[in-house]
Amino acid sequence: MKLSFLSLASGSSGNCYYLGTPEYGILIDAGIGIRTIKKVLKDHDLDFNKIVAVLVTHDHADHIKTVGYLGEKIGIPIYSTEGVHRGIQKSRYVEECITTSKRIIEKEVPFMIRDFQITAFEVPHDSTDSVGYFIEYGAHRFTFATDVGHITDTVGRYICQANHLILEANYDEEMLRFGSYPPFLKERVASSTGHLSNREAAEFIATHYTPDLKDIWLCHLSRDNNHPELAYKTLDIRFFEEGIRVGKDVNLTPLKRTTPSDLYEFE
């Protein structure tokens, strides 16, 4: 069946991604309002009522704002690790306590949601717990890795398996260094449990690229320390140095922070 991918929002104001078939879909994170989720899906001819699960990466507010409502008011199962669920329960940003909709998963133990085989994997970030997701459907392999302090061996292993990669490119190092953030926040962003820079994303993918990788979407771009054009250019230049041609060998798209992406469809 046809497979569809959509970014509803990707940034510090809120994160939410859709992956689905004509029969059902899942959300990865739900850090934007329920009305926005419904409107964006409707605008792209996607049926909100066919959402069968929400996968949560970690418990920061911009990823979990609506998970309580989706789980307890609508009855959609909310999947994540015990640690992430513990963080959600303590969060002041989630009004509904997740009980009946709570689904516990373990890192690197594959599980099924309909035809999707899903594996959560450890991601270094300064949250209660944090995971990325590797989702297999037929010949398609999606890797979601957002809020990545640095690329560990584990994160790298799942990046290298992807046909379709959603990877953080949060900040430009020069913009962060000379920007308006206070020193403690600059240190937090650039730390090994903070966020991934354009340069770090570019360097890893350029040196680990294989022709199996078809699509890259850069996610969670900073409002203050990055620009979509700059993120794109950083990867494009580094790829060119390795003989990788953006637009021919691989597609590269920086995702918008507060507005939806195009709808991407795959056979």
Side-chain angles (χ1 to χ4, degrees):
M1 289 190 296
K2 182 172 66 178
L3 189 62
S4 300
F5 168 68
L6 171 70
S7 170
L8 287 76
S10 179
S12 56
S13 300
N15 297 270
C16 186
Y17 308 96
Y18 169 90
L19 188 65
T21 75
E23 301 300 323
Y24 61 89
I26 63 174
L27 297 180
I28 296 89
D29 288 333
I32 57 178
I34 184 64
R35 291 181 181 178
T36 302
I37 292 174
K38 289 182 175 181
K39 181 182 185 306
V40 172
L41 293 179
K42 183 178 180 180
D43 288 346
H44 289 83
D45 295 320
L46 300 171
D47 189 349
F48 173 81
N49 294 314
K50 291 183 178 180
I51 300 294
V52 297
V54 179
L55 309 180
V56 183
T57 60
H58 63 289
D59 63 330
H60 284 168
D62 54 324
H63 296 259
I64 63 170
K65 177 181 178 180
T66 313
V67 294
Y69 186 92
L70 291 169
E72 297 304 308
K73 298 295 185 182
I74 300 180
I76 300 173
I78 309 297
Y79 290 80
S80 200
T81 65
E82 181 66 66
V84 173
H85 275 295
R86 186 166 59 250
I88 293 172
Q89 299 299 83
K90 295 178 180 179
S91 176
R92 59 188 175 92
Y93 299 102
V94 179
E95 296 180 1
E96 296 84 2
C97 182
I98 297 176
T99 55
T100 59
S101 61
K102 181 178 180 180
R103 303 290 187 274
I104 302 295
I105 60 176
E106 296 182 20
K107 295 170 189 173
E108 301 203 65
V109 178
F111 62 100
M112 301 296 297
I113 296 178
R114 301 285 180 95
D115 302 300
F116 290 156
Q117 178 168 292
I118 304 170
T119 306
F121 57 92
E122 177 89 28
V123 170
H125 192 52
D126 55 3
S127 51
T128 305
D129 192 13
S130 188
V131 297
Y133 287 100
F134 180 64
I135 302 174
E136 299 172 86
Y137 175 79
H140 297 286
R141 302 186 299 277
F142 278 79
T143 297
F144 290 81
T146 182
D147 295 64
V148 181
H150 66 284
I151 298 179
T152 62
D153 289 345
T154 297
V155 175
R157 178 157 43 90
Y158 286 99
I159 289 175
C160 290
Q161 295 181 63
N163 304 130
H164 315 288
L165 173 63
I166 300 89
L167 180 65
E168 179 175 52
N170 178 258
Y171 66 97
D172 173 76
E173 292 171 347
E174 292 297 306
M175 287 185 70
L176 178 66
R177 184 177 299 118
F178 297 108
S180 60
Y181 277 15
F184 80 90
L185 189 52
K186 291 181 180 181
E187 291 176 7
R188 183 250 166 181
V189 170
S191 75
S192 62
T193 56
H195 292 280
L196 201 67
S197 71
N198 297 341
R199 181 191 61 79
E200 291 169 314
E203 183 65 27
F204 185 88
I205 302 173
T207 54
H208 292 80
Y209 168 82
T210 73
D212 289 338
L213 181 60
K214 302 301 182 185
D215 302 287
I216 303 168
W217 294 275
L218 303 177
C219 69
H220 211 291
L221 274 66
S222 170
R223 178 188 63 189
D224 300 307
N225 301 304
N226 210 352
H227 294 297
E229 297 82 3
L230 181 56
Y232 181 98
K233 184 178 179 181
T234 302
L235 272 77
D236 187 22
I237 291 172
R238 186 66 185 91
F239 286 4
F240 183 79
E241 293 172 350
E242 297 292 333
I244 305 163
R245 299 165 299 173
V246 171
K248 292 185 177 181
D249 299 320
V250 66
N251 299 313
L252 176 64
T253 306
L255 294 174
K256 301 172 185 177
R257 295 183 60 257
T258 58
T259 54
S261 69
D262 293 334
L263 181 68
Y264 299 90
E265 296 183 327
F266 311 94
E267 295 296 337

